[in-house]
Amino acid sequence: MPWLAVPFDLNLHRRLIDRYQVDRIPSFVPSCSDGITIEEDLIGCIEDYGADAFPFTRKRHEELKGIDIRKREEADLEELLGHEGGKFLISGDDRKVPLSELAGKTIGLYFGAYWSPPCCAFTVQLTDAYNNLKAAKGDCFEIVLISTDRDLEEFNVNKSTMPWLAVPYEDRTRHDLRRIFDVKGIPALVLIGPDGKVISVNGKLMVSSYGAEAFPFTESRIRDLEAALRKEGEALPPQVEDVKHEHVLKLDMAKAYVCDSCKKQGKFWTFSCDVCDYDLHPSCLEKVNKD
């Protein structure tokens, strides 16, 4: 440690512990009168803000939280993603891409890691949506990886498998963005509109449910998709009999399933069996009945 220490004296240690009401370690107690208390978790404040937490007062902590709220609400990309090394991101092949190239686009901040199986599964879904949007709408949408990988080597492998950009691994911005958007778990996808306003902090659900069709990820777009889905369900019979299956099949909703007729993956409406593990896509039901 580069700082000073009190002598190793158990009696002195006890007096200091009692004096500052220390009930856990690590603990950090500032000497200023307006210092944040143990209960307010100054260790967490330092972990979140580093040297910016100085002079470790309650007032300074509130100022920093206010800055985070402003950044979250206004979402200026250069302020959010810029770092001491410059205003750029990196591509999978380590090419530097200026932040200015993101102007006017819908941006997805993807919080994920190579070591996480849920992230690997979602990356496949997100890549499919990303590529479909690129093909259909051009450069209207960009994704930026905010890595939570454990080391640089893991990060390099992770970004090399992705067709989008990333915040450099050594950049503290990765940590700051997790704090600003209160990301508690991965994978997570924060969506920012072309106007710089946060559209949603739950982009993962949108992409997982609707893929590229969810674009531009607005509430009205999701309402339209949900309404279309309800209308589709209302047009289907509540139960059917399929000539290839011995039991009655009931209309059901599933996030994902494999149709036992065409053997392809489906989602949302399915005709399923309560007796055995059998699912049938509505379009396959019509084909089977005609046969």
Side-chain angles (χ1 to χ4, degrees), residues 181-220:
F181 291 106
D182 195 29
V183 175
K184 301 298 186 184
I186 55 173
L189 183 67
V190 175
L191 296 164
I192 300 174
D195 59 355
K197 302 295 184 182
V198 175
I199 301 173
S200 175
V201 295
N202 198 16
K204 175 183 175 294
L205 179 61
M206 294 182 183
V207 172
S208 297
S209 298
Y210 302 107
E213 291 186 9
F215 185 84
F217 310 111
T218 58
E219 289 184 3
S220 60

Side-chain angles (χ1 to χ4, degrees), residues 126-170:
L126 188 58
T127 300
D128 184 60
Y130 179 83
N131 289 336
N132 287 341
L133 282 172
K134 285 283 186 183
K137 298 182 179 293
D139 293 330
C140 61
F141 181 51
E142 189 54 75
I143 296 172
V144 179
L145 172 65
I146 315 300
S147 165
T148 54
D149 290 301
R150 293 169 291 195
D151 53 48
L152 180 59
E153 181 179 359
E154 200 170 72
F155 167 74
N156 286 331
V157 172
N158 198 17
K159 73 178 176 64
S160 69
T161 65
M162 299 175 175
W164 45 73
L165 306 176
V167 171
Y169 186 77
E170 63 277 7

Side-chain angles (χ1 to χ4, degrees), residues 27-160:
S27 289
F28 185 90
V29 183
S31 59
C32 52
S33 59
D34 186 33
I36 300 173
T37 65
I38 295 293
E39 288 72 21
E40 291 174 287
D41 190 15
L42 186 53
I43 293 294
C45 181
I46 294 173
E47 288 176 339
D48 283 342
Y49 298 103
D52 288 338
F54 183 83
F56 314 117
T57 59
R58 187 175 294 105
K59 178 181 178 181
R60 180 56 179 162
H61 195 204
E62 293 302 319
E63 288 175 352
L64 292 169
K65 289 193 291 186
I67 292 172
D68 280 352
I69 292 172
R70 178 183 60 78
K71 287 182 177 180
R72 182 168 63 248
E73 293 178 348
E74 297 179 4
D76 179 273
L77 289 178
E78 292 203 357
E79 187 177 12
L80 275 176
L81 302 176
H83 50 92
E84 294 181 0
K87 296 182 178 181
F88 65 86
L89 302 169
I90 55 174
S91 63
D93 58 1
D94 290 323
R95 178 173 52 89
K96 291 184 178 180
V97 179
L99 284 173
S100 57
E101 292 193 11
L102 300 183
K105 298 181 181 181
T106 298
I107 306 299
L109 302 180
Y110 177 31
F111 298 83
Y114 187 72
W115 53 263
S116 166
C119 287
C120 292
F122 180 64
T123 296
V124 174
Q125 295 177 312
L126 188 58
T127 300
D128 184 60
Y130 179 83
N131 289 336
N132 287 341
L133 282 172
K134 285 283 186 183
K137 298 182 179 293
D139 293 330
C140 61
F141 181 51
E142 189 54 75
I143 296 172
V144 179
L145 172 65
I146 315 300
S147 165
T148 54
D149 290 301
R150 293 169 291 195
D151 53 48
L152 180 59
E153 181 179 359
E154 200 170 72
F155 167 74
N156 286 331
V157 172
N158 198 17
K159 73 178 176 64
S160 69

Side-chain angles (χ1 to χ4, degrees), residues 51 150 168 172 220 267 280 287:
R150 293 169 291 195
R172 182 178 170 82
S220 60
K267 61 180 179 179
L280 196 66
K287 295 176 182 177

